[in-house]
Amino acid sequence: MTDPNDPKLKSWVEVAPGSDFPIQNLPFGIFRTRYLAPVAGVAIGNHVVDLVCLHEHGYLDGLGLQPGVFNQRYLNSFFAMGRKKVGAVRTRVSELLRHDNDELRANGPAREIALIPIEEVKMLLPLDIRNYTDFYSSEEHATNVGSMFRDPKNALLPNWKHLPVGYHGRASSIVVSGTDIHRPNGQIKPPDQEAPVFSPTRKLDFELELAFVTCTDTVLGKPVSVREAEDHIVGLVIFNDWSARDIQQWEYVPLGPFLAKNFASTISPWVVTLDALEPFRTAGPVQIPPVLPYLAFEGKRNFDIQLEVQIQPQGSVETTVCRTNFKHMYWNMAQQLAHHTVNGCNIETGDLYASGTISGPAPGSYGSLLELTWNGQKPVPLADGSERKFLEDGDTVIMKAHAERDGVRIGFGECVGKIVKG
Ligand code: MN
């Protein structure tokens, strides 16, 4: 059997240079068309492959799939079959789409139904998100925020290098790319006033993150070890953890983020598999002091994924305000999941675990406006001549991510949200 990550693979489906979705990627999503109720699909080039069609035509026979597993509103039932089975489907789809495979290509009627131009589909939220956790795993981001909100000399709190700090977020308000974001109202305490005021946030921000998706249901009381952690992770999406900084600054002590974060988070619609990202493993930062044994890991557990953020004001052009890389993260996903469950907390299929804002070492690599503008002190210039301290109504934020090597680009598509009046 061929390796679906082989850089030499080509598809009979046209894939333009620079496409996020070559045959080596094959991410999973949920889509609908004018004629189709929501079903599971795979992206290739500018097309979506209808998995229900492939399944019903017998192209996925022998993989031990439950009937109807793709004819669903969410990917949960499919992912719950486990990472190996998801990988087997990806490998089989790769075979069917290979330039030298005629099984589907030569079957006109099936091919016509199975392959849908991407502009004819609407991508939907791919997961019934059971739980959402947000980590805080970029040392640069934690240092920047600690410097601004607390004390530059002690920016990192004493626990930060000993455990992957996180909090439980809100799953109900996670939306798919393309959904408008309402500017939230809340309590703000202006620095020159004694008492808080009720107001729309004046410091609306994005947070550039990636989130991993779990594909198992574990038993309460049974931790997931670092060594096993990646068996529970099926793939990743881009995650915009929208944040209201003024609400956050007033509310966050002592229990952390609440209404400053739970009004909305946006994810990209395609789940890029960890299998497709395998060639992009890289070593993370050296962890000093050494971590406790339950967080110790072997091998390369970080991933070299380039990220960028653009802001596009209403009726104007976009400006790239941030470029960074997922490889900078101090804590890796295996450590995050092991820490999350070490107390016996169970995980569920379709949970999202976001990385925390991904900031790099250089100023242009900060993953939030809070950091890019240093809490509004240094506005970011935009291509249309305007500038931003924080987001304005009508602004669209576009996040992109891709890994690239040996001429193969594993992209995530886009994670887009427009700010509208609350
Ligand atoms: Mn966050």
Side-chain angles (χ1 to χ4, degrees):
M1 189 169 291
T2 333
D3 170 14
N5 293 340
D6 185 344
K8 290 192 288 294
L9 289 186
K10 297 229 177 319
S11 176
W12 51 264
V13 180
E14 192 191 329
V15 177
S19 167
D20 274 351
F21 307 126
I23 191 169
Q24 290 83 358
N25 191 348
L26 305 180
F28 296 97
I30 295 286
F31 71 97
R32 67 174 165 77
T33 69
R34 277 174 64 193
Y35 312 103
L36 273 185
V39 294
V42 165
I44 172 112
N46 284 324
H47 285 82
V48 175
V49 181
D50 180 345
L51 287 172
V52 171
C53 176
L54 292 192
H55 199 191
E56 286 177 353
H57 280 83
Y59 287 113
L60 306 177
D61 285 358
L63 295 178
L65 300 170
Q66 298 152 7
V69 71
F70 299 118
N71 202 358
Q72 310 235 357
R73 173 60 191 85
Y74 297 109
L75 291 170
N76 291 51
S77 313
F78 171 44
F79 284 172
M81 297 181 87
R83 188 175 159 187
K84 274 217 175 75
K85 198 139 275 190
V86 172
V89 170
R90 176 172 166 268
T91 300
R92 176 62 181 145
V93 172
S94 168
E95 274 177 16
L96 289 168
L97 297 175
R98 276 175 52 166
H99 75 284
D100 55 357
N101 186 312
D102 257 353
E103 291 177 74
L104 178 60
R105 178 167 61 172
N107 182 349
R111 189 191 64 217
E112 293 281 305
I113 303 169
L115 217 58
I116 304 165
I118 215 160
E119 65 269 13
E120 291 177 18
V121 311
K122 181 170 169 51
M123 297 307 300
L124 306 175
L125 192 70
L127 301 161
D128 179 13
I129 301 161
R130 305 302 307 269
N131 302 281
Y132 152 50
T133 297
D134 196 21
F135 285 97
Y136 191 54
S137 289
S138 155
E139 182 173 1
E140 290 82 0
H141 173 69
T143 304
N144 288 337
V145 174
S147 303
M148 265 181 276
F149 280 20
R150 287 189 307 272
D151 171 13
K153 290 198 194 79
N154 297 292
L156 289 184
L157 288 170
N159 60 7
W160 200 88
K161 292 211 162 178
H162 293 279
L163 56 87
V165 169
Y167 69 95
H168 286 297
R170 183 83 191 163
S172 70
S173 55
I174 300 176
V175 296
V176 74
S177 177
T179 308
D180 284 348
I181 302 301
H182 295 265
R183 178 178 297 273
N185 294 302
Q187 282 198 27
I188 295 164
K189 202 192 81 60
D192 54 345
Q193 290 182 31
E194 277 290 294
V197 298
F198 183 77
S199 164
T201 176
R202 298 157 193 174
K203 292 190 172 181
L204 187 52
D205 199 356
F206 58 80
E207 286 190 342
L208 170 61
E209 311 193 13
L210 290 177
F212 68 81
V213 182
T214 45
C215 55
T216 54
D217 293 76
T218 62
V219 177
L220 194 62
K222 197 169 178 301
V224 173
S225 69
V226 168
R227 184 185 292 271
E228 297 162 338
E230 289 180 0
D231 298 341
H232 298 263
I233 301 173
V234 66
L236 282 82
V237 292
I238 305 173
F239 193 97
N240 184 347
D241 182 24
W242 302 97
S243 299
R245 299 304 179 188
D246 38 11
I247 297 173
Q248 182 181 358
Q249 188 146 25
W250 173 233
E251 77 172 1
Y252 86 103
V253 178
L255 288 186
F258 187 29
L259 305 190
K261 303 272 192 176
N262 72 1
F263 59 94
S265 316
T266 304
I267 64 170
S268 51
W270 293 107
V271 180
V272 174
T273 61
L274 206 54
D275 288 349
L277 293 167
E278 197 57 39
F280 303 94
R281 281 186 186 277
T282 186
V286 177
Q287 297 180 326
I288 300 171
V291 296
L292 286 168
Y294 82 92
L295 290 170
F297 65 95
E298 289 173 2
K300 297 173 174 172
R301 300 286 166 187
N302 278 41
F303 290 83
D304 182 357
I305 301 172
Q306 301 173 49
L307 303 149
E308 63 176 271
V309 182
Q310 298 174 327
I311 297 176
Q312 181 174 22
Q314 180 88 48
S316 184
V317 294
E318 71 274 5
T319 303
T320 300
V321 295
C322 160
R323 283 182 217 275
T324 187
N325 196 302
F326 192 46
K327 71 183 178 191
H328 297 306
M329 301 307 278
Y330 190 84
W331 295 101
N332 60 54
M333 295 182 280
Q335 290 179 309
Q336 288 169 339
L337 198 57
H339 181 67
H340 201 301
T341 59
V342 75
N343 63 348
C345 175
N346 58 324
I347 63 174
E348 296 186 287
T349 301
D351 287 354
L352 278 183
Y353 300 82
S355 56
T357 306
I358 304 163
S359 291
S365 67
Y366 297 164
S368 66
L369 281 173
L370 176 71
E371 296 161 88
L372 289 165
T373 70
W374 213 252
N375 202 7
Q377 292 174 45
K378 292 186 291 184
V380 168
L382 299 186
D384 66 0
S386 66
E387 56 180 35
R388 286 293 180 279
K389 294 175 177 169
F390 290 96
L391 296 169
E392 296 184 2
D393 291 346
D395 285 353
T396 298
V397 176
I398 304 151
M399 295 182 173
K400 300 179 188 180
H402 75 276
E404 196 159 7
R405 180 169 306 156
D406 300 329
V408 174
R409 177 188 172 103
I410 304 297
F412 284 70
E414 293 185 340
C415 179
V416 178
K418 181 178 177 180
I419 307 302
V420 298
K421 236 188 205 49

